[in-house]
Amino acid sequence: MQGLVLKFEKSRDIRFIGHLDLHRALGRTFRRAGLPLAYSSGFNPQPQLVIARPLPVCAWGSNELLHARFEQVVAPLEVMKALAKASPPGLSFLSAEPCEGKSPFAEIDREEYRLVFCAASPPEPSVLNVQAQALLDEGFSVARDHKGKRVSLTLADYLVAFEAVGCGEAGYNVSYTARLDLQRALRPAEVMKLLQQLVPDAQLLELERIRLIASNGRNQV
Amino acid sequence: MNKIEQLLCQIEKPGRYIGKEHNAVSKPEEGIQARGVLAYPDVYELGMANLGIAILYEAVNRLPWAACERVYLPWPDLAERLRADQIPLWSLESQRPVREADFLGITLQYELTYPGVLELIDLSGIPLLASERAEEAPFVIGGGPCALNPEPLAPFFDAVLVGEGEEALVEFCELVRQRNQEGFSRLELKRRLAQLEGWYVPEFYSIPVEASGQVGKVQVSENAPAEVSRRVVADLDKAVYPTSPLVPYLEVTHDRAVLEVMRGCTRGCRFCQAGAAYRPVRERSTEVLVEQARELLTNTGAEELSLVSLSTTDHSDIQALVDALLEVCEPLQVNVSLPSLRVDAMDIGLAERLATVRKGGMTLAPEAGTQRLRDVINKQVTEESLLEATRAAFEAGWNTIKLYFMLGLPTETDEDLLGIADLARKVHSQGRELRGGRAQVNVSVATFVPKPHTPYQWLGQIPRDEIERRQRLLKDAFHRLRGVNLKLHAPAQSLIEALLARGDRRLADVVLAVWKKGARFEGWREYFSMQRWLEALAETGLELEQYASNPRKLNERLPWDQLSSRVTKAFLALELQKSEAGSLTPDCRFGPCSKCGVCDSRLKNRLCRSS
């Protein structure tokens, strides 16, 4: 059995497609491409495809990662060629590298997002950054329902970087990096709550995951 | 970010409204001389499973000068936002407003979607009434099984296609193209359309209906034919078929590749509208089917290939076909499935060969609980053959058997109903013997709706209190059966189905009123409201019973008599007589011609192997 880690783009066009639907579409793409995917055994065999981290609905990502396992040895270049022909609109594969081991994504511990919001009169980026930092320092937290229980997440525990960079073509740009090595992962909607605390009429327009990061020295898996 | 994108960020399942599926056809504006949108008046996940739309989408998009897009009925959360923000409904491929297309083609799959039809037209920003549409407005056309009696929707459609659409819709597109080039009027297009086989232009037919429900003499204008004959494709091997169908991102109903092995069924079940509406039997040849299967799997990546038709195992070359398909499918780890099975052990054997991985539920449809009633409806199945089939299924490893029946069939007695429970008990005891505690029997009992163009078109549905009494009788009988589950259809929905199926043009006011009261997804139990229908009927002065329950005389004109399924009324009347006598009519594929009237010099049963 051989494994490959593929980098792919879930484009803006298909950002409304959810994680499970994306996973199924990937499986069919590999089948159309005629690639010898390995399947799980059992009553309902599933293709051995693992997406590194799910993307929320409404988000797109240009550097998403996928681990695919094959029954036979396949050349990464041939895989890329076959996938290019079989990919649906909005999904494209950027690279493929052989990988050993079953869990190549275990070391991923951060994710970087760019979000764009609109508001009637947002503050200057430098002001927003100071205000946001102050809120984080005060222990700003969000509540979330989890299996019938109310849990609270303190954003400062998660956000390792937060920067408002001002207005772009689409709206007001913010980039942030969040930790993934804690019990729970921070949701972009929860970062929006931080922003809405400072800019009450802020409305999310765009959400893009820039990259997944492994802090063991490698920028990306 | 445009307004549509902003909306999609705020609603449930936005993936329903973006298109972008694999194999979706998005054509540039340049060179397109006829642009249409095909619509399914229910949610995306159901509409995507519709083979008719897939075939028509392919047929139109094969024309280099025409473009065909799609739209589905938005879920209430989006519909509400569209109205609030005054955004017209868009088609999935180009994201352009539907109202900018040349035509909107809506499929009429079942009666309870009628309010959804109005919702689609209204959300598109198109006037609801055909008579109020301006010259530049899209033509609203309909088709599908309910087109055999489109009268309750007649005022909302510019034209309705009766029968099969792959050739007829292309001819319609030709007319649209001519109109766009020559600039003739909307009325002129309808005049020309009415001359084409299968096209019904309701406004050319003035159909008086008395308060009693009696249909008067029909006045036909604009030189339209007095009777519109169902359109039939003679040879399926030569017909267009989508071997590169859409592959949805979302999980949809029947999410698999579909191979249409044949069309039509001549078994002659007397309650079955499809049996009349798709005659004659036309099989695709094994060679064509195998090639189509290869292409389908290459172009979709599907994990399952489903062989569809009204009765797939009736295909005259089914054994060779299955052998050939398994050769194609097994190396690709593709399961082949048969969604409809006849009730005999041979079919189970076939299904067993195909079910290589998982054995879900095996579905069989005896329809009635006693031999007497099965003879009445011409369902040529014996209890012995049913029990042989279920035994074979349990022996082959199936744990769950689903049995479909109907309640309220003509001449039905309490004994027939108790026969359903008795049959279920026998099947379950077989299961206990062969599968032990894992054996399960699920029994689904629908309420019979007498449909137009069947031998029972003159009969009424049993009244609501009688439906409820018979359902109680069944519940009591099943109460004592452990390991057998009984599922009953909601009587109210069946009554409305009968109302609309047997309705005339006066019901358009009821459909309009019920839509104004908020009806949208009436096929969904959680959204259906009988109260709305009763109020709408009361407001329009019409009676549910008059339509649903009252029988009609054999010699009276029926509201749908200007439309012909090609099966003659004389044949249907004779079948009704034979039904009352419990007399059988054999399948004309294996016995003598039943003289239904469908075959002629062009149309006849086309079997792959004549044995």
Side-chain angles (χ1 to χ4, degrees):
Chain A
M1 201 172 289
Q2 187 202 3
L4 288 182
V5 167
L6 296 112
K7 192 187 285 183
F8 71 95
E9 179 186 11
K10 176 195 172 190
S11 79
R12 194 176 190 282
D13 281 351
I14 58 162
R15 66 192 184 283
F16 295 113
I17 299 303
H19 174 68
L20 294 178
D21 293 326
L22 180 67
H23 189 269
R24 192 174 44 254
L26 284 165
R28 289 198 173 154
T29 304
F30 277 75
R31 289 176 66 85
R32 282 196 296 274
L35 295 168
L37 263 187
Y39 279 75
S40 62
S41 51
F43 185 69
N44 190 13
Q46 293 296 314
Q48 295 202 20
L49 289 174
V50 177
I51 298 174
R53 297 288 308 177
L55 263 177
V57 175
C58 298
W60 69 94
S62 41
N63 291 295
E64 297 303 297
L65 297 169
L66 174 74
H67 181 214
R69 300 184 85 202
F70 299 92
E71 282 183 343
Q72 301 159 20
V73 174
V74 285
L77 195 61
E78 294 306 310
V79 170
M80 290 296 290
K81 276 185 194 168
L83 288 173
K85 283 183 192 163
S87 297
L91 199 59
S92 51
F93 291 85
L94 310 172
S95 68
E97 284 177 30
C99 119
E100 288 173 12
K102 286 188 176 176
S103 310
F105 305 136
E107 291 172 345
I108 291 178
D109 57 3
R110 292 172 194 200
E111 58 183 348
E112 184 183 336
Y113 273 98
R114 177 183 74 88
L115 64 80
V116 179
F117 71 89
C118 66
S121 53
E124 285 296 312
S126 55
V127 175
L128 189 62
N129 283 329
V130 170
Q131 289 175 335
Q133 193 55 54
L135 260 185
L136 290 169
D137 292 344
E138 283 168 21
F140 180 81
S141 64
V142 291
R144 181 195 293 182
D145 288 326
H146 179 73
K147 292 182 181 172
K149 286 183 183 170
R150 198 91 172 139
V151 294
S152 177
L153 282 73
T154 304
L155 264 65
D157 295 342
Y158 290 86
L159 288 175
V160 290
F162 179 95
E163 189 184 11
V165 286
C167 278
E169 270 180 36
Y172 202 96
N173 280 282
V174 170
S175 72
Y176 73 87
T177 304
R179 290 176 65 178
L180 292 170
D181 54 350
L182 301 175
Q183 192 183 2
R184 297 184 176 87
L186 193 65
R187 296 170 184 161
E190 290 160 343
V191 178
M192 272 306 290
K193 283 185 182 164
L194 172 76
L195 282 166
Q196 282 161 346
Q197 187 74 16
L198 303 167
V199 189
D201 64 337
Q203 198 186 341
L204 181 67
L205 293 178
E206 292 185 356
L207 181 63
E208 179 186 8
R209 181 154 67 194
I210 304 294
R211 59 182 176 156
L212 293 158
I213 304 164
S215 58
N216 60 0
R218 289 191 293 174
N219 237 6
Q220 257 173 213
V221 177
Chain B
M1 188 187 250
N2 63 32
K3 264 188 161 182
I4 291 178
E5 290 173 325
Q6 278 183 33
L7 268 188
L8 294 182
C9 284
Q10 296 158 34
I11 57 159
E12 195 185 326
K13 286 203 176 182
R16 288 168 173 159
Y17 311 106
I18 61 167
K20 311 288 180 211
E21 302 95 337
H22 186 64
N23 294 330
V25 181
S26 205
K27 292 190 177 182
E29 188 73 8
E30 205 175 315
I32 297 303
Q33 293 158 44
R35 184 177 287 279
V37 178
L38 293 177
Y40 190 91
D42 208 315
V43 71
Y44 175 89
E45 289 90 326
L46 289 181
M48 278 296 286
N50 185 265
L51 178 60
I53 286 191
I55 292 173
L56 299 180
Y57 185 76
E58 174 78 16
V60 176
N61 278 323
R62 275 195 191 178
L63 306 171
W65 47 267
C68 189
E69 305 195 356
R70 291 161 300 132
V71 69
Y72 303 89
L73 186 60
W75 202 244
D77 60 345
L78 178 60
E80 196 179 308
R81 297 299 309 269
L82 291 176
R83 286 207 169 87
D85 298 355
Q86 295 186 315
I87 297 175
L89 189 59
W90 60 86
S91 55
L92 298 189
E93 281 78 359
S94 65
Q95 306 270 304
R96 280 173 48 178
V98 170
R99 67 181 179 208
E100 290 178 10
D102 293 312
F103 68 89
L104 169 63
I106 307 176
T107 184
L108 306 173
Q109 292 291 317
Y110 54 101
E111 291 79 3
L112 292 173
T113 61
Y114 289 1
V117 170
L118 301 200
E119 177 75 344
L120 260 175
I121 300 173
D122 187 65
L123 285 174
S124 302
I126 300 169
L128 283 177
L129 294 170
S131 58
E132 290 179 358
R133 285 178 202 136
E135 282 292 315
E136 65 279 6
F139 287 88
V140 178
I141 58 175
C146 294
L148 281 165
N149 178 23
E151 288 307 299
L153 290 177
F156 310 114
F157 280 100
D158 291 292
V160 174
L161 173 69
V162 183
E164 296 162 6
E166 45 267 81
E167 294 166 349
L169 188 61
V170 168
E171 290 169 10
F172 174 76
C173 288
E174 287 276 9
L175 272 182
V176 169
R177 179 195 202 188
Q178 278 174 28
R179 180 175 187 246
N180 286 340
Q181 286 169 345
E182 298 166 22
F184 54 77
S185 71
R186 191 175 181 87
L187 177 63
E188 179 57 21
L189 183 138
K190 291 187 198 177
R191 279 192 199 116
R192 295 186 192 187
L193 188 62
Q195 298 308 314
L196 300 179
E197 189 178 51
W199 285 101
Y200 174 55
V201 180
E203 69 187 64
F204 295 167
Y205 298 78
S206 170
I207 307 175
V209 184
E210 291 171 19
S212 64
Q214 284 271 328
V215 179
K217 188 171 166 41
V218 176
Q219 300 286 326
V220 184
S221 60
E222 303 293 347
N223 209 24
E227 187 179 79
V228 176
S229 279
R230 177 172 61 94
R231 192 70 185 259
V232 184
V233 174
D235 184 353
L236 285 194
D237 274 352
K238 292 180 185 154
V240 60
Y241 193 74
T243 51
S244 291
L246 295 158
V247 184
Y249 273 106
L250 263 58
E251 188 168 16
V252 301
T253 315
H254 305 318
D255 195 0
R256 56 205 177 196
V258 172
L259 193 62
E260 188 193 27
V261 300
M262 58 196 276
R263 214 175 275 179
C265 173
T266 45
R267 293 215 159 242
C269 300
R270 293 179 176 126
F271 57 85
C272 178
Q273 192 185 40
Y278 291 98
R279 287 181 179 220
V281 171
R282 289 145 293 151
E283 295 179 351
R284 280 197 166 92
S285 67
T286 303
E287 296 73 35
V288 167
L289 287 168
V290 172
E291 189 48 38
Q292 287 183 347
R294 258 187 241 283
E295 288 177 28
L296 271 168
L297 298 176
T298 306
N299 296 331
T300 61
E303 302 84 1
E304 184 178 342
L305 178 71
S306 183
L307 311 187
V308 302
S309 75
L310 292 172
S311 179
T312 296
T313 51
D314 277 346
H315 190 282
S316 60
D317 199 26
I318 188 70
Q319 297 286 355
L321 175 63
V322 164
D323 287 342
L325 288 177
L326 285 175
E327 252 180 58
V328 173
C329 293
E330 278 179 345
L332 299 171
Q333 291 179 299
V334 171
N335 282 329
V336 183
S337 66
L338 299 167
S340 59
L341 287 185
R342 236 183 18 234
V343 183
D344 65 37
M346 188 277 281
D347 279 15
I348 306 296
L350 206 57
E352 190 193 358
R353 279 181 65 204
L354 298 178
T356 49
V357 178
R358 60 189 302 183
K359 291 189 169 79
M362 167 69 71
T363 305
L364 302 167
E367 312 290 2
T370 60
Q371 196 58 49
R372 185 201 68 80
L373 192 53
R374 284 194 293 273
D375 288 347
V376 164
I377 61 175
N378 204 41
K379 182 85 189 182
Q380 298 178 35
V381 167
T382 62
E383 182 171 312
E384 193 184 7
S385 66
L386 174 77
L387 292 174
E388 263 179 39
T390 51
R391 173 170 286 277
F394 284 128
E395 282 173 348
W398 271 275
N399 291 320
T400 303
I401 302 279
K402 295 181 207 165
L403 299 173
Y404 284 180
F405 293 93
M406 270 186 281
L407 171 152
L409 285 163
T411 77
E412 182 181 79
T413 62
D414 288 356
E415 193 185 330
D416 296 314
L417 289 171
L418 296 174
I420 294 176
D422 190 45
L423 207 50
R425 183 187 54 75
K426 286 177 184 166
V427 172
H428 185 249
S429 72
Q430 269 185 343
R432 292 282 297 180
E433 176 196 326
L434 296 163
R435 309 297 303 168
R438 285 171 295 174
Q440 194 176 327
V441 177
N442 296 333
V443 174
S444 175
V445 184
T447 304
F448 168 64
V449 176
K451 296 272 180 156
H453 304 281
T454 69
Y456 297 147
Q457 63 177 349
W458 292 281
L459 306 183
Q461 189 182 46
I462 57 171
R464 181 172 188 163
D465 52 358
E466 182 58 16
I467 296 174
E468 288 169 349
R469 187 193 70 79
R470 295 189 195 186
Q471 287 196 342
R472 279 197 302 275
L473 185 74
L474 274 175
K475 277 183 195 166
D476 286 347
F478 274 81
H479 185 64
R480 293 185 289 274
L481 298 179
R482 284 194 178 167
V484 181
N485 300 316
L486 173 68
K487 190 179 161 198
L488 297 165
H489 286 211
Q493 281 180 305
S494 302
L495 282 162
I496 298 305
E497 198 185 326
L499 166 83
L500 296 170
R502 311 182 74 234
D504 56 44
R505 209 169 279 194
R506 295 179 303 171
L507 280 181
D509 289 340
V510 175
V511 178
L512 183 61
V514 94
W515 168 74
K516 283 183 178 168
K517 290 173 188 294
R520 304 291 184 263
F521 289 91
E522 292 294 275
W524 295 64
R525 218 181 250 220
E526 58 269 46
Y527 284 99
F528 177 81
S529 159
M530 188 62 172
Q531 190 56 33
R532 272 197 296 249
W533 288 94
L534 294 176
E535 284 172 15
L537 282 158
E539 286 166 17
T540 46
L542 298 172
E543 286 176 21
L544 175 62
E545 291 73 24
Q546 186 185 83
Y547 286 100
S549 310
N550 285 1
R552 289 180 179 273
K553 294 187 189 100
L554 278 175
N555 60 357
E556 77 173 89
R557 189 179 171 91
L558 302 171
W560 49 87
D561 270 355
Q562 65 284 8
L563 307 175
S564 165
S565 72
R566 291 177 181 263
V567 175
T568 63
K569 271 182 103 173
F571 172 78
L572 296 177
L574 183 64
E575 280 296 293
L576 179 61
Q577 262 183 28
K578 289 171 82 173
S579 168
E580 284 159 0
S583 159
L584 299 175
T585 300
D587 187 330
C588 63
R589 278 171 296 183
F590 317 118
C593 171
S594 54
K595 298 191 170 55
C596 70
V598 169
C599 293
D600 57 22
S601 57
R602 188 178 73 93
L603 297 178
K604 58 179 181 186
N605 286 343
R606 271 177 189 271
L607 306 186
C608 207
R609 285 154 63 105
S610 48
S611 58

